[in-house]
Amino acid sequence: MIKPGLTSLFAISCSFLFVQQAFAQTQTEQPKVESEESIENEQSADETMTVPVVISASRTNSDVKSSPQKVTIITREEIEQQLAITTDSSKVLANLLPAYTPAREKLSGSGETFRGRTPLFMIDGVPQSNPLRPTGRAAHTIDFSMVERIEVIHGANAIHGLGATGGIINYITKRPEAGTFNQHMNLQTTAPTTELNSETDSYKLGYGFNGSLEDVDYLVSATVEDQGLYLDADGDPVGVDNTQGDLMDSRTYDFLSKGTYWIDDDQSIGAEFNFFRSEGKQNYVSVTGDRDAGIATTSEKGTPPGEAPRNQVYTTSLNYENTDFMDMDLKIQAYYQDFEGRFGATESTSFVDSSLAPTGLDQSQASSTKVGSKVTLIKDGLLDDRLKLTTGFDVLRDTTEQALILTNRLYVPETEFFNYAPFLQADFEVLEGLQFHSGIRYEVAELDVPTYQTVASRNGVTVDGGTPSFEETLLNFGITYSPVETVSLFGNYAEGFGMPDVGRVLRGINQTGLDVDTFLNLEPIVTENIELGVRYNNNVWDAEFSVYQTSADLGSRLEQVGDDFFVQREKSRMRGLELSGGYWLNEDNKVGLGYSYIEGKYDSDDNGSLDAKFNGLNVPPNRLIATWSSTWTDNFSTFLQVQHNFSKSFDEADLNFSGYTITDLAATYALPTGKINMAIENLLNEDYVTYYSQAALANDDRYFNGRGRTVTVGYSVDF
């Protein structure tokens, strides 16, 4: 049983109410919380006023300027610019976040990290990441056409608990627009500039409606996308990943529905449901390349064995908010997420069983179910409007397993993770423009693993189950200082909480006599993130610069041995810097620049010295992204972006990365009814091998070229 540390738990849970009573005489009426949709700058001829961006992922109703960590808000306009170029959500993130790894261009995003560690993906606060058996599929659980904006908190933190060792990426879905009944329809098609035919063509169709009826707001939206064969810069088929899953030759569906009932001006209750499925069509098989000879893996017509790889995700939540609950803001969320990640059938030494799979042919499927709740209570206006307190209590139950579905074997036993955590956060304005931020979160967690038997390739050993429990007290301290309106300095120390890949650890055991209760490799990952930075914004120039270090005494690194990847628990450290900026050349033209530098090291021989470099499976390359947005007429606008991924060397010479540059161009023309989008991805038809294929592993089967030049044309209309 868990021993929750009742004294600490009680103290944290009650401290908020104690402080609330102590300062009862100083309370002032709380202003109504700014709408989460207030994300644009409002300007007039005589005066410029910036509307604060409320970051819902912060849980404190804070805005970007007052955040002690680097925060990026990706707006709807930016999302639409990217969707005109590509529908690959990993590419969208990589195009907008220099510290994010260049996309694999596959269904699997394994190896795609953020600041060299794993981010926590969420949809409206509901976790999408699967910490017990990460499949690399968390970036593909929703169609970005459903997303209003994306909130990105850079660096490790414990704001939402488990999994944010690299940061938080929170997708905020669209909300109903003003009016009783509004409709939207969009259609687009994508094709390469060579070998245009029915096999290489892709299309996407979307339709939705939203509005309000008296006290009820509602939204329903659906999309279907059919993707064809990808071609590289030479017009040759890109290799299909029959094992990990692919976006090319796939069909994807997404259905989002949400509704809110306004009890009164201060209270609302809402429900939300999203169903996402992306599944291969099984029309192609890969043709193994030759890495040493520089020959990429390609594809040819054929039917792969087994069932098609796919992602299938259900996300449901119930939300209640009362902005005047005893002069406080109360938010309650209950959620359920069901994830199924199916991989393709393959022959692997890991699957060999003399009686069931003598050739090693099998197919794995990871399943995860999350049930949880989040309660947040915010009190503003204390101490003469200088102190804001936020407290809450989170609960999560995650049940995960991985099966070999062709031979009906368990690869990873059904494992249950139960976690609860109270927290308290304080934001105190010492002087005008000077704020201190501090908080504490008390994590109580328990794993429940049954006694199980590993597969034959792991010697078929019996492992005694158990219920190891963990308790961690996580702290954060931060400071922001604005000496003048246009400048903000910030510094932050934050701790994050995660788990190693429990599934890989459990399925990899091949020695007898091991007990889950005492197995060191199941210990949590606690990361420490230190960051210093400065922001500047005068509505003509905007810039942000930050340096950071993230370290863990017992980190988690994947190491390839033969056909398999095993979890190594070692001391690790990431160091880096990020720079971003924008400049309005005039009212119709803005240029932007983003840069990320990162290095990662770990202790390879357990002597306390960080002596080895992380390879491309764990860290992104240094990256530079330049953009130019231009409005030529009232009806016509363009967007140009260039991203350069710098070459990078590793300890393993065969994983050295040669670098490449991708240029994209998009244009929008407004018609009397609707608008037309046209985009060219990889405008200069760069011939490149993806970062993952070069730097993450040396494998002839997965030596994939990137996609060559494509043209996308779309039409959308609101009516």
Side-chain angles (χ1 to χ4, degrees), residues 426-677:
D427 302 289
F428 182 60
E429 186 176 26
V430 182
L431 301 169
E432 184 175 355
L434 177 62
Q435 284 189 321
F436 286 115
H437 312 263
S438 64
I440 182 172
R441 183 180 175 99
Y442 182 61
E443 295 278 357
V444 182
E446 180 181 87
L447 274 175
D448 187 354
V449 183
T451 297
Y452 68 99
Q453 187 176 50
T454 61
V455 294
S457 62
R458 301 290 190 270
N459 299 326
V461 299
T462 298
V463 181
D464 288 336
T467 55
S469 59
F470 319 101
E471 298 181 20
E472 296 288 347
T473 300
L474 306 173
L475 306 174
N476 69 80
F477 305 96
I479 183 172
T480 56
Y481 176 53
S482 296
V484 294
E485 180 65 25
T486 56
V487 177
S488 177
L489 307 172
F490 62 93
N492 187 63
Y493 169 85
E495 295 176 337
F497 176 77
M499 293 294 294
D501 189 334
V502 172
R504 285 191 192 272
V505 171
L506 294 177
R507 79 189 195 193
I509 296 175
N510 59 8
Q511 301 175 16
T512 59
L514 291 182
D515 189 318
V516 168
D517 280 322
T518 58
F519 199 37
L520 178 64
N521 275 11
L522 293 177
E523 288 291 319
I525 304 167
V526 177
T527 53
E528 299 178 346
N529 185 75
I530 301 172
E531 183 171 12
L532 296 171
V534 58
R535 304 182 183 99
Y536 176 80
N537 190 340
N538 69 355
N539 293 306
V540 176
W541 282 96
D542 64 83
E544 184 168 10
F545 174 78
S546 64
V547 294
Y548 62 87
Q549 174 177 293
T550 301
S551 57
D553 290 334
L554 192 62
S556 178
R557 178 179 64 90
L558 288 181
E559 181 175 71
Q560 185 178 14
V561 180
D563 291 342
D564 304 310
F565 289 89
F566 292 89
V567 176
Q568 305 294 330
R569 304 303 306 277
E570 301 149 332
K571 183 178 180 180
S572 64
R573 183 192 66 208
M574 303 287 176
R575 283 178 174 170
L577 64 86
E578 290 185 70
L579 171 66
S580 61
Y583 176 63
W584 286 95
L585 301 171
N586 53 48
E587 64 180 7
D588 296 321
N589 290 270
K590 183 178 183 181
V591 293
L593 193 70
Y595 174 73
S596 170
Y597 168 86
I598 187 170
E599 65 168 26
K601 291 188 174 182
Y602 63 93
D603 181 4
S604 66
D605 51 13
D606 199 27
N607 67 353
S609 174
L610 299 172
D611 60 304
K613 294 180 181 179
F614 280 108
N615 61 28
L617 187 62
N618 300 276
V619 295
N622 305 327
R623 306 182 67 227
L624 179 69
I625 301 174
T627 62
W628 173 30
S629 300
S630 183
T631 301
W632 301 95
T633 70
D634 290 342
N635 296 329
F636 183 62
S637 61
T638 59
F639 173 72
L640 176 71
Q641 68 181 10
V642 181
Q643 60 164 297
H644 178 66
N645 304 298
F646 291 89
S647 61
K648 198 176 187 73
S649 61
F650 301 100
D651 292 338
E652 308 99 317
D654 58 348
L655 295 182
N656 288 343
F657 175 57
S658 62
Y660 54 83
T661 303
I662 303 296
T663 303
D664 305 314
L665 176 65
T668 299
Y669 186 79
L671 299 171
T673 302
K675 63 182 179 180
I676 292 177
N677 295 308

Side-chain angles (χ1 to χ4, degrees), residues 19 52 87 101-102 154 176 179 192 216 230 273 379 381 393 429 439 469 519 561 599 679:
V19 175
T87 58
T101 303
H154 299 236
V216 176
Y230 292 178
F273 171 78
K379 174 58 187 174
F393 191 86
E429 186 176 26
S469 59
F519 199 37
V561 180
E599 65 168 26

